[in-house]
């Protein structure tokens, strides 16, 4: 059984502030170690649950956060940019299940460090008028490859948003959100123990979680953080202007939608 673990940082126990998730800050250097340790807990849980092969996708920011020397040598690691499948890179490598570790609530949600893909660029992202965040987009991308999301960890707001989307998944709450940059967290050791147990439990229940499959083609709407960003994005000839701060496009597949959103995210750097 081959498993993909996609690891973000905002949902990691002990992480509550922007300085912890942005390179160049002393607190980031500590947080990236916590991220690696939660990834290792998930790897251990995967092997406990019967996995024979594990891929770990570094899914935060520039996709090269976790110190390689700290990672469990039984796994292999997906690192760096650019990559077509983003936070779900590796799902096309014949995996049977996906675990999402350290994930967070969508933009405009009440969770700790809530955002969708790029907090500078995007205020909301909607697939066929359904507001979605990173877990929803990438869970649907995994579903397009026939792979279910079987386990997720993050704060209570993230879990509340995604229980209905992944009804058969095992959820592990690492912290309780009390604000955008505040919360009540498990200790890192307690979170790692819970993550390891959660992954093992999920993999011992084959068939409980179904792949999230969206009907395609999709209409994608993106509310930008400013009219200037909508101006920029509409340089792309196939994008339509829906409002002063909103653009839309049609996507033949979830993969096409995600790749386009990631291209828009990259474009937004021109206005930083």
């Amino acid at each position: 059984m081959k498993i993909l673990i996609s690891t973000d940082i905002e949902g990691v126990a002990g992480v509550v502030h922007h300085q912890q998730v942005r390179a160049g800050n002393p607190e980031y250097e500590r947080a990236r170690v916590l991220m690696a340790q939660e990834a290792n807990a998930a790897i251990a849980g995967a092997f406990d649950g019967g996995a024979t092969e594990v891929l770990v996708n570094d899914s935060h920011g520039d996709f090269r956060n976790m110190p390689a020397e700290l990672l469990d040598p039984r796994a292999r690691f997906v690192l760096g940019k650019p990559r077509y499948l983003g936070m779900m890179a590796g799902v096309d490598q014949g995996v049977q299940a996906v675990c999402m570790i350290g994930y967070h609530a969508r933009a405009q949600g009440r969770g700790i460090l809530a955002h969708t893909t790029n907090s500078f660029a995007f205020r909301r992202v909607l697939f066929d008028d359904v507001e979605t965040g990173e877990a929803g987009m990438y869970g649907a991308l995994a579903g397009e490859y026939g792979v279910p999301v079987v386990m997720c960890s993050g704060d209570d707001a993230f879990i509340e948003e995604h229980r209905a989307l992944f009804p058969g998944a095992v959820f592990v709450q690492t912290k309780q959100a009390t604000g955008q940059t505040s919360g009540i967290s498990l200790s890192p050791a307690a979170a790692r123990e819970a993550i390891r147990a959660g992954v093992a439990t999920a993999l011992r229940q084959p068939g409980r979680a179904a792949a999230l499959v969206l009907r395609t083609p999709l209409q994608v709407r993106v509310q930008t953080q400013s009219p200037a960003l909508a101006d920029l994005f509409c340089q792309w000839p196939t994008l339509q202007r829906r409002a002063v701060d909103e653009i839309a496009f049609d996507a033949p597949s979830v993969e096409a939608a995600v790749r386009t959103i990631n291209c828009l995210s990259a474009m937004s750097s021109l206005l930083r």
Side-chain angles (χ1 to χ4, degrees), residues 13 27 45 138 152 226 253:
E27 288 193 65
Y138 283 103
C152 305
S226 71
S253 64

Side-chain angles (χ1 to χ4, degrees), residues 29-184:
E29 296 302 326
R30 296 172 60 194
R32 69 197 293 230
V33 172
L34 296 176
M35 179 185 179
Q37 290 171 338
E38 289 199 2
N40 283 341
I43 295 165
F47 284 110
D48 292 344
T52 55
E53 190 173 351
V54 175
L55 286 174
V56 178
N57 179 326
D58 187 323
S59 296
H60 174 67
D62 60 7
F63 298 160
R64 50 185 181 89
N65 303 275
M66 297 183 288
E69 68 275 10
L70 298 184
L71 294 167
D72 189 324
R74 292 177 294 177
R76 292 185 297 140
F77 303 96
V78 184
L79 304 165
K81 285 186 174 181
R83 53 167 91 148
Y84 292 156
L85 301 183
M87 298 175 75
M88 206 46 60
V91 76
D92 57 343
Q93 299 296 308
V95 303
Q96 282 77 57
V98 168
C99 300
M100 294 178 167
I101 304 299
Y103 269 61
H104 53 81
R106 64 176 177 257
Q108 305 308 304
R110 66 172 186 84
I112 296 169
L113 299 171
H115 68 282
T116 300
T117 302
N118 183 328
S119 58
F120 170 76
F122 307 134
R123 186 171 178 82
R124 287 187 173 88
V125 175
L126 300 96
F127 283 5
D128 285 339
D129 294 323
V130 177
E131 194 165 354
T132 188
E134 291 168 26
M137 289 192 294
Y138 283 103
L141 178 53
E144 210 161 65
Y145 282 84
V147 182
V149 175
V150 300
M151 185 273 178
C152 305
S153 72
D155 69 18
D156 61 321
F158 162 72
I159 293 171
E160 183 180 336
E161 283 182 7
H162 293 90
R163 278 200 189 279
L165 210 57
F166 307 127
V170 173
F171 286 88
V172 170
Q173 183 179 319
T174 56
K175 52 197 173 185
Q176 176 187 345
T178 57
Q180 286 279 311
T181 54
S182 64
I184 302 169

Side-chain angles (χ1 to χ4, degrees), residues 212-242:
L212 172 62
V213 180
L214 300 185
R215 184 171 58 186
T216 53
L218 295 167
Q219 184 182 71
V220 181
R221 291 166 48 207
V222 178
Q223 184 182 12
T224 64
Q225 292 285 11
S226 71
L229 284 158
D231 293 341
L232 174 66
F233 295 158
C234 283
Q235 301 270 354
W236 199 326
T238 57
L239 270 60
Q240 309 126 33
R241 190 70 168 262
R242 293 286 297 268

